Amino acid sequence: MRSKSDTNGDTASLKKRKREPKDDSAQSQQKKHRRKTKQEKADALNGQGADQTSHTNDTNLQPINGHSGLSGVSSQSQWKVQPPMGGRMLNIDPIFSPDEKFLIITYNTSIQVFSIESSLPIRRIPIPLTETDDENATTPAHIVSTSLSKTEGGYIWVACSDGRIWNINWRLGTGSDTPFTITSSNLVDMSVDAIDLPNSKIDVLLILQKTASSSSQIFAYTRESLLEGKGEGLLLHSFDESPQMLRFAASGRLVVAAAKTALHIGHLKASKITSIDTLKFDFHSFDLPDIISSLDVRPVLKDKKLIRADVVVGCARGAIYLYNDVLSGIAERTLQPRKLHWHRRVVHSVKLSRDGNYLISGGAETVLVLWQIDAGRTETLPHLSATIENITISPRGSSYAVHLDDNSTMVLSTAEMKPTMYVSGIQSLVLEETPSKESLVRRVWRSADEISAPVVATSNPRNPSQMFLCVGNGQQATQGAGTTVSAPLVQVFDLASFQGVAKHAIARTNATKANITRDGVPIMEPTATSLSFSQDGKWLASIDEWQPPERDTAAFLTGSKTIAEAARQRKEIYLKFWEVHEDNSLELVTRVNEAHHTDLPQAIFDVASDPVSSRFATIGNDGVVRFWSTQYRMRDGLAVKGHDGEPLRSWYCSRAVTLPVREKQEDIVEETRKVFHSGAVAYSEDGSILFAAYRVSTEGLVVAIDTQTGTIRDVVSGIIRGEVRSIQSMGSCLILLSEDIAVYDTVSDELLYSYKLKDTSCAAKRLAQLAVNHQSRTFALVAPVPHPRQDKLKKGARSELTVFSLEDQEPQLVQSFPHLITSVLAAPGSSGFVVVDSAAQIWAVTDAVEQPVILKSMDDLNMDDTAETQPVQDALVLQDEEISDEEMEDADQMEVDDDDHAAVVAQQHVVQTFNVAPTFAFAPLDGSFSVMAAMWSAKPAYSE
Amino acid sequence: MAAEVQPLPLVKLPSGPSPVTPEQRYWRSFKNQKSHTSTATWPISHISFPAQTGAVLSNSMVAATKLNDLFAVTSGPRVDIFSIRKRELLKTIGRFDSEAHSGEIRADGRVLVAGEDSGKMQVFDVGGGTRAVILKTWHIHKQPVWVTKWSPTELTTLMSCSDDKTVRLWDLPSNNPSHTFTGHSDYVRSGAFIPGGNSNMLVTGSYDETVRVWDARTPGGSVFTFKHKDPIEEVLPLPGGTTLLAASGNTISVLDLVAAKPLRLITNHQKTVTSLSLASNGKRVVSGSLDGHVKVFETSNWNVVFGSKYPSPILSLSVIAAGAAQEDRHLAVGMQSGVLAIRTKLSGAAAEKARERAAIEAAIGTSALDKIDARNAKRKRAAVSNKNMDMLGENVDVIIPTSDTGSRKKKLKPWQRNYKDGFYAACLDEVIDMSGPEYQPLVALTVLVALRHRSALREALEGRDEVSIIPLLKWVSKYIVDPRYLSICVDVSFHLYDLYSEHVAGNSELAELFQALLGKVSRAASKAQAAIEVAGMLETLTLGNN
């Protein structure tokens, strides 16, 4: 693998900045700064950076240590990037294991197995998708279909769009490294069914692929033909329409393929199949009045004969068409569908129940609709948390698995409609590989296909393993209207148990209301733009913004006002202070409507929390820094008490400091108001100084404000270039992120070093982020690297993470990531960083010197090697007892006496054991092992 | 996993300085003043009611609550006994040779003790006929006896303070004092038992400007002395027994017995503070002064939470508590003019009845009366059916209700239903109907803001006829001057202008309403203009300072 940085230590996204000492003599009150001028190296080298790094993939990322030949990089810095965790659930039906004990969910980069009983992850099987990734492809290879083998319940078939097919044993996690390859570059769907041959039963894979611009072919493969590696399968059918979906059912007797607006139904010609080569189907096709968005087939077999097949089709404009007994309908030319129309928008998923009496469907209305087919009545389960993407009915029909757009899947019992299992992954802004079903129809709005702002994230100081992320009601709702992001929720994600723990609404949400207007435009929710915890974790400050969409303000135009101005005038910016209770629930204590305002409400650029006391500071567009303190609410000198008798607190602005604007030339006509473009604030580590960096008019300034007196101690100019993105304070140094990353020593008053961000497109600048780890005295810079042929941060864009140490001007680590990084956080209580990317994966970047890092991904956990030879039931008993404990690799050596009663261990106890720290900063393994062992080895009190 | 549907929450406007605090509301609810003028307008020197203490209650709860219906008012040479419940004069004890002081009823409500100017102390039977029977007379004090008080814990123990500079403890059956405390160097005009001290600890205040604490177990002088600047008019121990209040001149001092130091000096009165009383189960202290003011203090930081003015100098006051929970019932204030003013807080059923009566009075002559009647009839029916339900249950142990009434969903109001179903125009019509019985401007604001958030404001305003625009215009004209409503009113009027301007010419009423709106806005604009001028002037001023 090639080094990802050239010999100068310059990286793809950074280049060393040449700085000439500026002549500051005109400004007597300003200080002159001695700057280290750096030799600018040939830029030609830098241009290749992005290409050099683009060959990395998920599994074999290797950090560059020491930068061979570089002086100044200490050889003991051993920064490492751990393999990623998590991911985003794909729009592929979740799979129930045949015994309904496990749920297999397809993620964008892995297959994950969850226990239905405990909701805990059992295994993560990474799928090495990017191995053959062509850097020219704008749509990278992605998994298109996952299907359970109909002959062996322990295997699944996974198809990738570039023609790779994996046969994976999900119980053992094997098979992900040896894909079969077929000669197809545009696989659309795959369906698997078992066919009875005279002496055996074999899996037959039907592949739907797009050949030319709008023609499709269906091929059949068997395991044998794949093994032979012929590449070519048996062509069953081809048609000249663009393919959508494929279903293979009734023991290989029925094929249903959906084109854009037509169905192709194939019926097995022969009554018996003697060999795979004789597989032939009679195909009939008919048109539908609308674009097909979902499909389900329910065959009825009698004496190994297909006597009836019901087909149900969900359409892009909300109608569901039900074809009862489609075969006789075709034969007798009396095909008449039943139209069921409840959905307003695309039917994302529709399924027929096992007995054929019910339909179950869902879509962007976030309502699960149950249709009684005979009575024509509907029952609904409304107000789910996000768009329903997929529905699967369990093999026994006793439960539904529902995959929602907010990266969660739940299993509902059909009897009570109560969830029995809930898996919630991390929500991030995601660039989907495949367009959403919502985009099948042209709409009055377009959802965003780029990421223009980071996901606001922070970690809870009281419980360091918990991340708080500002998210929306699912991906589609978040990026719904294209221009702005709506993110009114905070997701609490526990890194230790790797589960979403809770979601809190910190602004108005549409969770229980219609989410589109009468005109069919999504209603935008407020966007949370900042989150900050107080140092003790008891308080949370949040900022959210909302402004009416411009189409609503067309009536408000007067004079020369533009629509955008009219909308801005009605902007609502709230600064909210929340009390964080022990159980992580949030209680709104104070809401400040216009914390920063002139004649208009002004944007709040940044909020910082005091590292020594419960105080916050904000900087706003009005050029004022405000300090916020808490006090007991008093009335007539009495503390006001709440219902529980506890005195109530409130937050107030304890001080406002107007930021100085340097008078430039006298001859410039005095502006009525200086325009503040951007700003950021940071407290010094002892809380005595607040640093405010801001850009006013054309100049960037850094101001040090005494937090006790509110006096301005120092004004520094000339170290900010362009818009201020972030400022952080560490020791005596300030780290400033603008178009440069600069480290400035406030004591010696000199610029230690600075780098220039290479990519300065608007979106790239906005996504550049800075995180500081005070424990290891390091900071991480994240800069996006757009795809070479795109200017916006769309699919194919990557990110680069650079870790710097304060003392050393050479980067400690330069690492390219295969996806855009949406958030970067210092890992609290550890020396590393946590990175969330646009594939909803979490990466841990750690300093290996500090401590042995333990991040055993789930695939390292051996379940039971003998599972294949043992009866399935026994293997699963063992698995139950080692529930998902990713760290417990010795579990298989634990003796389990079958005659004994299993120890009763509450799930929360297990979680607590691992809740102490982030997974990658975990305490010694033996300690947790003995705790776990004690839990299970203890005999329950009531056992004989 | 499905989210719970919450009704639309009301918009929360900035609170600002609250015009009425809950404390003020509480004390203002003492109304229904009843005045009683004493015979020959003798100044009312003392008001007291038997304190209900645990010791007495445990003896006979029922008797105590029954008998605790009395309070005593001392004025001139008489002690009047009133009923707490009826606020009526029940009995007058006039068997005094000279001016009476400190008529106090014992905790069991059977006997009353009072001192007088002659130095006599007498114990009367409260019950019985109109003429009170003297049960006991002591004539040991040679100077006027100003304080006689029953021990809160022992029924036969009492104390007295006299102008002969002595403080004495008495046992009811014996003829001589059980203890005599000497040490004050001037008249002793106030005193009390310190709670929790088993009748051993006394506190007294004297015109020698000292507050002294006495302990019957310690022979000799006082165990504690606090020197003040002015003569002490009143002392009041707080329930904990460690804090004392003493009224000295126009100040009230808060004294801590444990730390042995004064905690605070309250200087809210202009003239001599004459009386102190506990209220709200010891959580508040009420003081009365010669300046005619009654002030209520909270007991943690001693801030005034309420005050009121009486027409004459106040000599005595008491917050009379009653009932099992000892809730404040009356605020009785006795004045120099001989007027006893009793203000009463209605509680529970009585308050409900008063509200009902007020509602009926307000509704007479309007259609609302029918509604009240209908509601009453419904209540009556519900009560009857409940009774029937009880009858059903005669032979069974437990009745299981058919539906869980507790968790039944609250019925949505029509506007909430319309809002939920997306009938925004109908919803808006309902909330801006200013003549409606449930009209609240905040609800209207809430709905309008919610419509703006849902991009449905225009939809709700579209397609109206003359009749349905008029209430909207009226609403906007009324509220556009309120800064909290301004933004949304501006949006509504822009939309109305945009949608209906072409119809104004043909409709005189509509034109009139738009004219009215114009008038309102231009007046407000001229006011704003004036404010801007002042702002500009001040700006130049501050610029000069810089």
Side-chain angles (χ1 to χ4, degrees):
Chain A
M1 186 146 187
R2 285 182 61 189
S3 159
K4 281 190 281 290
S5 77
D6 61 86
T7 48
N8 299 315
D10 288 5
T11 68
S13 60
L14 296 177
K15 69 182 170 190
K16 259 186 203 159
R17 174 92 187 282
K18 183 179 175 181
R19 278 186 177 274
E20 299 294 339
K22 258 195 341 202
D23 183 20
D24 282 346
S25 59
Q27 291 87 38
S28 55
Q29 81 274 28
Q30 301 300 327
K31 303 205 168 61
K32 282 186 188 173
H33 300 291
R34 190 171 63 81
R35 293 192 186 79
K36 291 184 178 174
T37 54
K38 288 185 191 289
Q39 193 61 41
E40 192 172 19
K41 298 291 176 185
D43 277 348
L45 278 171
N46 298 331
Q48 299 164 9
D51 297 343
Q52 286 166 11
T53 56
S54 60
H55 293 277
T56 55
N57 61 50
D58 305 15
T59 49
N60 60 351
L61 274 173
Q62 281 180 3
I64 299 304
N65 305 322
H67 295 285
S68 54
L70 260 186
S71 58
V73 175
S74 52
S75 57
Q76 72 264 30
S77 74
Q78 298 279 325
W79 284 85
K80 278 206 175 93
V81 178
Q82 303 289 315
M85 300 277 283
R88 177 155 173 90
M89 297 173 191
L90 286 182
N91 189 2
I92 291 172
D93 287 348
I95 298 170
F96 280 95
S97 71
D99 55 5
E100 291 195 17
K101 285 196 170 163
F102 300 96
L103 193 71
I104 304 160
I105 301 173
T106 312
Y107 282 72
N108 48 3
T109 55
S110 63
I111 306 285
Q112 294 187 23
V113 184
F114 291 87
S115 158
I116 289 179
E117 197 180 1
S118 66
S119 300
L120 290 171
I122 301 284
R123 171 160 290 116
R124 180 180 195 270
I125 309 162
I127 305 291
L129 282 177
T130 46
E131 227 159 54
T132 60
D133 186 13
D134 178 10
E135 69 179 68
N136 294 320
T138 45
T139 49
H142 56 271
I143 298 171
V144 293
S145 175
T146 310
S147 187
L148 194 71
S149 164
K150 294 286 154 58
T151 52
E152 292 164 284
Y155 282 86
I156 49 172
W157 293 94
V158 179
C160 177
S161 62
D162 62 356
R164 278 177 296 165
I165 292 170
W166 287 269
N167 190 13
I168 292 171
N169 184 329
W170 59 267
R171 291 208 166 99
L172 299 172
T174 54
S176 63
D177 40 1
T178 52
F180 305 108
T181 312
I182 58 168
T183 52
S184 166
S185 58
N186 212 340
L187 224 119
V188 175
D189 203 358
M190 174 190 74
S191 189
V192 179
D193 206 359
I195 284 187
D196 292 315
L197 292 180
N199 46 6
S200 65
K201 202 174 174 188
I202 58 162
D203 270 349
V204 173
L205 284 70
L206 289 202
I207 304 283
L208 181 65
Q209 71 175 57
K210 194 171 179 176
T211 48
S213 58
S214 64
S215 71
S216 325
Q217 289 175 322
I218 301 172
F219 284 100
Y221 293 88
T222 61
R223 196 182 155 81
E224 282 67 36
S225 71
L226 286 170
L227 271 173
E228 284 165 28
K230 281 191 293 191
E232 282 283 337
L234 179 69
L235 179 66
L236 295 182
H237 183 56
S238 60
F239 51 91
D240 282 343
E241 281 155 297
S242 95
Q244 297 278 336
M245 268 161 284
L246 181 67
R247 293 288 178 274
F248 190 29
S251 297
R253 286 175 177 79
L254 182 70
V255 180
V256 180
K260 196 167 184 190
T261 58
L263 276 184
H264 294 258
I265 294 179
H267 183 215
L268 192 67
K269 274 183 184 165
S271 58
K272 267 205 168 153
I273 314 156
T274 48
S275 83
I276 183 70
D277 298 324
T278 62
L279 204 60
K280 284 214 164 52
F281 291 88
D282 275 332
F283 271 94
H284 299 272
S285 76
F286 55 89
D287 281 346
L288 270 91
D290 198 356
I291 302 166
I292 298 170
S293 64
S294 51
L295 172 70
D296 195 33
V297 181
R298 178 179 165 270
V300 180
L301 285 167
K302 201 172 179 186
D303 300 335
K304 297 199 166 183
K305 273 185 186 160
L306 178 63
I307 54 166
R308 182 191 154 100
D310 298 337
V311 174
V312 63
V313 177
C315 288
R317 287 177 181 83
I320 294 171
Y321 295 95
L322 173 65
Y323 294 89
N324 277 318
D325 200 359
V326 69
L327 293 173
S328 58
I330 290 169
E332 293 155 24
R333 301 191 169 279
T334 57
L335 199 62
Q336 196 62 38
R338 212 170 132 191
K339 184 179 178 186
L340 306 162
H341 205 149
W342 183 95
H343 291 277
R344 275 178 257 198
R345 287 152 83 181
V346 182
V347 183
H348 281 253
S349 188
V350 60
K351 283 283 179 314
L352 275 157
S353 72
R354 301 269 155 201
D355 58 2
N357 291 334
Y358 288 89
L359 270 177
I360 175 162
S361 65
E365 301 87 1
T366 73
V367 181
L368 195 68
V369 187
L370 287 148
W371 307 79
Q372 293 179 25
I373 294 173
D374 290 339
R377 279 174 40 178
T378 59
E379 270 181 75
T380 57
L381 180 67
H383 315 312
L384 295 174
S385 55
T387 301
I388 296 164
E389 289 282 6
N390 300 96
I391 302 166
T392 308
I393 299 171
S394 74
R396 281 180 228 144
S398 62
S399 47
Y400 305 128
V402 180
H403 164 221
L404 303 173
D405 186 37
D406 61 356
N407 209 11
S408 70
T409 296
M410 65 172 103
V411 174
L412 298 165
S413 67
T414 44
E416 298 156 305
M417 282 309 217
K418 292 261 167 66
T420 55
M421 170 205 175
Y422 185 63
V423 178
S424 168
I426 196 158
Q427 271 184 271
S428 166
L429 287 172
V430 173
L431 295 172
E432 303 265 10
E433 270 92 4
T434 48
S436 161
K437 285 175 177 174
E438 292 291 318
S439 56
L440 286 172
V441 198
R442 243 178 70 111
R443 299 195 179 272
V444 289
W445 47 275
R446 269 166 44 105
S447 68
D449 55 352
E450 59 164 330
I451 293 177
S452 56
V455 174
V456 178
T458 185
S459 58
N460 183 354
R462 220 191 300 185
N463 190 349
S465 70
Q466 288 185 339
M467 270 175 98
F468 281 57
L469 297 112
C470 294
V471 298
N473 288 313
Q475 174 72 13
Q476 286 156 24
T478 307
Q479 298 206 302
T483 49
T484 50
V485 172
S486 63
L489 303 171
V490 162
Q491 183 187 29
V492 184
F493 190 83
D494 196 301
L495 288 171
S497 61
F498 221 79
Q499 287 252 19
V501 181
K503 261 193 231 175
H504 305 292
I506 58 166
R508 182 179 74 245
T509 72
N510 289 336
T512 59
K513 297 175 200 128
N515 50 16
I516 52 170
T517 65
R518 191 183 53 171
D519 307 330
V521 188
I523 297 169
M524 293 308 283
E525 296 155 322
T527 312
T529 57
S530 280
L531 275 187
S532 182
F533 272 100
S534 68
Q535 43 89 28
D536 55 1
K538 285 185 181 156
W539 300 98
L540 177 70
S542 74
I543 298 166
D544 59 276
E545 293 181 357
W546 181 85
Q547 73 176 35
E550 290 181 3
R551 59 176 186 277
D552 284 359
T553 55
F556 307 142
L557 298 185
T558 49
S560 60
K561 210 191 280 177
T562 64
I563 293 181
E565 277 169 358
R568 217 182 84 72
Q569 218 172 9
R570 287 160 179 79
K571 195 163 189 167
E572 293 173 2
I573 300 165
Y574 294 146
L575 172 64
K576 288 172 180 163
F577 295 96
W578 305 81
E579 187 172 353
V580 186
H581 294 293
E582 288 292 337
D583 59 348
N584 263 327
S585 60
L586 300 176
E587 187 189 345
L588 182 61
V589 172
T590 302
R591 187 190 81 192
V592 185
N593 277 15
E594 292 175 8
H596 291 266
H597 61 93
T598 50
D599 50 341
L600 293 175
Q602 296 292 345
I604 305 171
F605 293 136
D606 194 15
V607 55
S609 120
D610 186 337
V612 292
S613 66
S614 288
R615 281 188 304 176
F616 293 98
T618 56
I619 182 169
N621 204 1
D622 55 349
V624 175
V625 167
R626 288 180 189 273
F627 293 88
W628 302 89
S629 303
T630 181
Q631 65 184 7
Y632 285 106
R633 265 168 69 184
M634 303 296 268
R635 193 187 281 134
D636 299 329
L638 278 180
V640 182
K641 295 202 169 129
H643 293 297
D644 53 353
E646 286 293 303
L648 299 178
R649 280 170 167 268
S650 65
W651 285 79
Y652 70 104
C653 177
S654 56
R655 174 165 286 132
V657 177
T658 308
L659 294 170
V661 178
R662 205 164 59 164
E663 305 297 328
K664 290 209 103 179
Q665 283 85 22
E666 290 301 315
D667 53 0
I668 289 180
V669 180
E670 182 75 20
E671 281 179 81
T672 47
R673 197 175 76 82
K674 298 282 182 189
V675 183
F676 285 80
H677 298 283
S678 55
V681 277
Y683 275 96
S684 65
E685 274 174 287
D686 60 354
S688 63
I689 300 283
L690 181 86
F691 297 103
Y694 55 98
R695 180 154 177 258
V696 57
S697 298
T698 57
E699 187 189 27
L701 294 173
V702 179
V703 164
I705 302 167
D706 189 317
T707 55
Q708 292 297 318
T709 61
T711 50
I712 291 172
R713 289 265 198 86
D714 200 359
V715 181
V716 184
S717 68
I719 53 174
I720 295 171
R721 230 165 46 87
E723 302 298 337
V724 177
R725 281 287 311 151
S726 177
I727 182 171
Q728 296 288 344
S729 157
M730 203 198 298
S732 66
C733 290
L734 284 181
I735 301 140
L736 282 145
L737 176 62
S738 51
E739 280 175 25
D740 298 344
I741 177 92
V743 177
Y744 171 78
D745 192 324
T746 51
V747 175
S748 65
D749 196 16
E750 66 177 347
L751 192 67
L752 295 182
Y753 56 93
S754 74
Y755 283 88
K756 184 173 181 290
L757 295 192
K758 191 158 160 286
D759 189 86
T760 52
S761 70
C762 189
K765 272 190 288 183
R766 268 186 290 174
L767 212 59
Q769 291 168 79
L770 180 67
V772 164
N773 193 318
H774 289 277
Q775 192 169 323
S776 61
R777 318 300 287 173
T778 51
F779 62 93
L781 169 74
V782 166
V785 182
H787 195 272
R789 278 178 284 118
Q790 280 173 340
D791 51 341
K792 286 186 172 171
L793 296 173
K794 294 187 177 180
K795 264 169 259 168
R798 295 157 198 279
S799 270
E800 195 174 75
L801 175 97
T802 318
V803 177
F804 289 94
S805 162
L806 208 55
E807 291 76 32
D808 201 340
Q809 56 175 287
E810 298 301 338
Q812 307 280 305
L813 167 78
V814 181
Q815 180 68 59
S816 172
F817 284 78
H819 302 279
L820 275 178
I821 293 174
T822 55
S823 313
V824 58
L825 279 180
S830 130
S831 60
F833 296 93
V834 183
V835 168
V836 183
D837 70 11
S838 68
Q841 299 182 111
I842 297 184
W843 306 71
V845 181
T846 48
D847 182 359
V849 173
E850 185 100 348
Q851 56 196 356
V853 174
I854 304 156
L855 183 72
K856 284 275 190 288
S857 52
M858 272 172 272
D859 49 296
D860 290 343
L861 170 74
N862 299 319
M863 289 171 90
D864 197 317
D865 289 335
T866 56
E868 264 179 317
T869 54
Q870 275 183 353
V872 171
Q873 283 302 323
D874 286 2
L876 293 179
V877 170
L878 278 175
Q879 286 151 11
D880 274 355
E881 278 151 5
E882 46 181 81
I883 302 173
S884 85
D885 157 27
E886 23 179 306
E887 257 66 46
M888 209 170 70
E889 55 180 356
D890 294 338
D892 54 344
Q893 290 160 13
M894 222 166 75
E895 284 190 13
V896 179
D897 187 354
D898 282 334
D899 297 331
D900 208 340
H901 290 274
V904 181
V905 177
Q907 187 190 329
Q908 60 265 37
H909 291 155
V910 184
V911 173
Q912 271 165 14
T913 316
F914 292 97
N915 247 355
V916 286
T919 327
F920 46 82
F922 210 66
L925 187 56
D926 346 350
S928 41
F929 176 71
S930 55
V931 172
M932 298 297 288
M935 268 186 205
W936 268 281
S937 56
K939 287 216 170 192
Y942 49 80
S943 72
E944 301 89 348
Chain B
M1 282 294 139
E4 196 188 341
V5 183
Q6 304 279 0
L8 187 64
L10 282 186
V11 169
K12 230 178 163 192
L13 294 172
S15 58
S18 171
V20 182
T21 65
E23 199 72 29
Q24 284 171 332
R25 210 174 303 130
Y26 177 81
W27 288 103
R28 270 188 202 154
S29 69
F30 284 80
K31 44 193 174 190
N32 225 345
Q33 178 159 329
K34 184 173 181 182
S35 297
H36 172 88
T37 312
S38 62
T39 321
T41 63
W42 282 307
I44 310 232
S45 61
H46 189 79
I47 304 168
S48 80
F49 72 102
Q52 216 171 33
T53 56
V56 180
L57 272 181
S58 60
N59 283 349
S60 63
M61 178 79 151
V62 180
T65 46
K66 207 177 239 172
L67 290 166
N68 259 335
D69 184 36
L70 303 175
F71 67 96
V73 176
T74 312
S75 58
R78 312 181 126 210
V79 175
D80 295 332
I81 296 171
F82 285 79
S83 158
I84 294 178
R85 224 167 296 157
K86 296 177 182 155
R87 305 197 295 180
E88 278 169 4
L89 179 64
L90 295 179
K91 191 174 195 171
T92 298
I93 300 169
R95 299 180 67 178
F96 295 98
D97 303 336
S98 53
E99 200 163 315
H101 297 292
S102 186
E104 289 261 350
I105 299 172
R106 197 168 70 175
D108 64 353
R110 286 163 194 263
V111 289
L112 177 142
V113 67
E116 59 177 290
D117 267 356
S118 63
K120 253 202 300 198
M121 284 168 64
Q122 287 171 310
V123 177
F124 302 92
D125 185 5
V126 171
T130 44
R131 190 173 166 78
V133 180
I134 300 173
L135 297 176
K136 183 98 189 173
T137 306
W138 290 290
H139 203 148
I140 308 275
H141 285 296
K142 293 301 167 213
Q143 298 270 332
V145 176
W146 280 82
V147 176
T148 51
K149 274 206 174 126
W150 295 99
S151 157
T153 47
E154 286 161 43
L155 286 180
T156 56
T157 307
L158 62 157
M159 67 173 286
S160 67
C161 304
S162 162
D163 279 359
D164 63 6
K165 305 168 192 172
T166 60
V167 177
R168 290 171 204 255
L169 264 182
W170 306 83
D171 195 28
L172 195 56
S174 59
N175 286 330
N176 284 312
S178 53
H179 271 93
T180 303
F181 303 101
T182 50
H184 278 301
S185 55
D186 207 335
Y187 305 155
V188 187
R189 288 284 168 91
S190 55
F193 283 96
I194 295 178
N198 211 7
S199 304
N200 288 323
M201 304 276 287
L202 305 178
V203 58
T204 56
S206 154
Y207 274 24
D208 65 1
E209 299 161 4
T210 60
V211 170
R212 286 176 195 262
V213 178
W214 312 90
D215 191 339
R217 296 161 296 191
T218 313
S222 63
V223 293
F224 237 106
T225 307
F226 291 98
K227 179 82 175 96
H228 287 77
K229 220 159 88 279
D230 289 302
I232 311 297
E233 291 287 349
E234 178 72 308
V235 288
L236 179 72
L238 292 191
T242 59
T243 313
L244 302 175
L245 297 186
S248 152
N250 59 1
T251 63
I252 303 167
S253 57
V254 184
L255 312 170
D256 190 337
L257 283 182
V258 177
K261 62 173 186 188
L263 289 178
R264 203 185 172 94
L265 204 61
I266 304 168
T267 56
N268 293 70
H269 282 288
Q270 302 299 317
K271 290 186 183 172
T272 302
V273 179
T274 52
S275 49
L276 296 169
S277 169
L278 288 174
S280 306
N281 285 322
K283 292 199 189 81
R284 300 283 179 274
V285 167
V286 184
S287 68
S289 152
L290 291 183
D291 59 10
H293 281 281
V294 167
K295 294 191 193 238
V296 182
F297 299 89
E298 46 87 16
T299 53
S300 53
N301 288 317
W302 303 101
N303 291 295
V304 177
V305 293
F306 179 74
S308 70
K309 172 89 168 82
Y310 282 82
S312 169
I314 293 163
L315 296 184
S316 56
L317 66 77
S318 179
V319 177
I320 294 162
Q326 288 289 291
E327 290 159 341
D328 299 342
R329 186 63 54 82
H330 305 294
L331 172 62
V333 175
M335 284 170 276
Q336 176 79 49
S337 59
V339 174
L340 172 72
I342 306 171
R343 290 182 184 173
T344 304
K345 181 173 173 58
L346 292 179
S347 64
E352 180 64 32
K353 217 171 247 175
R355 259 202 302 281
E356 187 79 347
R357 204 166 45 234
I360 290 174
E361 268 164 28
I364 282 172
T366 67
S367 61
L369 194 59
D370 298 338
K371 265 189 195 161
I372 291 173
D373 285 345
R375 200 177 61 213
N376 287 346
K378 193 176 166 191
R379 259 189 221 157
K380 211 171 262 174
R381 276 200 303 278
V384 169
S385 68
N386 271 349
K387 214 170 182 185
N388 291 344
M389 193 74 170
D390 289 345
M391 302 289 272
L392 259 180
E394 254 176 284
N395 297 323
V396 296
D397 296 324
V398 179
I399 302 177
I400 297 157
T402 46
S403 68
D404 190 2
T405 49
S407 68
R408 204 167 60 189
K409 255 197 216 160
K410 225 176 168 183
K411 212 177 151 196
L412 289 179
K413 296 198 173 99
W415 71 265
Q416 286 173 323
R417 211 168 34 242
N418 278 332
Y419 175 76
K420 189 175 137 262
D421 297 344
F423 300 122
Y424 296 133
C427 170
L428 189 57
D429 285 343
E430 261 147 29
V431 293
I432 60 157
D433 178 14
M434 285 191 276
S435 60
E438 288 184 349
Y439 170 73
Q440 271 180 288
L442 200 59
V443 173
L445 180 68
T446 302
V447 167
L448 283 167
V449 170
L451 291 179
R452 179 202 264 180
H453 287 158
R454 302 191 61 74
S455 299
L457 191 55
R458 197 177 176 88
E459 179 188 333
L461 299 173
E462 266 169 359
R464 287 169 179 266
D465 54 14
E466 295 96 325
V467 183
S468 54
I469 303 172
I470 287 165
L472 262 173
L473 266 173
K474 281 187 177 157
W475 192 88
V476 169
S477 307
K478 180 164 180 195
Y479 287 100
I480 200 162
V481 287
D482 187 330
R484 298 173 301 176
Y485 290 73
L486 175 69
S487 163
I488 201 78
C489 285
V490 167
D491 284 11
V492 173
S493 41
F494 264 114
H495 277 305
L496 289 179
Y497 171 79
D498 201 41
L499 291 166
Y500 301 109
S501 53
E502 57 198 272
H503 305 293
V504 173
N507 187 310
S508 62
E509 196 175 0
L510 217 53
E512 236 168 67
L513 281 168
F514 270 107
Q515 191 67 42
L517 182 60
L518 171 68
K520 267 239 163 143
V521 172
S522 34
R523 275 196 298 282
S526 59
K527 277 182 207 158
Q529 186 60 40
I532 289 168
E533 278 165 22
V534 175
M537 180 187 76
L538 293 174
E539 220 164 74
T540 52
L541 192 75
T542 48
L543 273 182
N545 286 349
N546 284 350

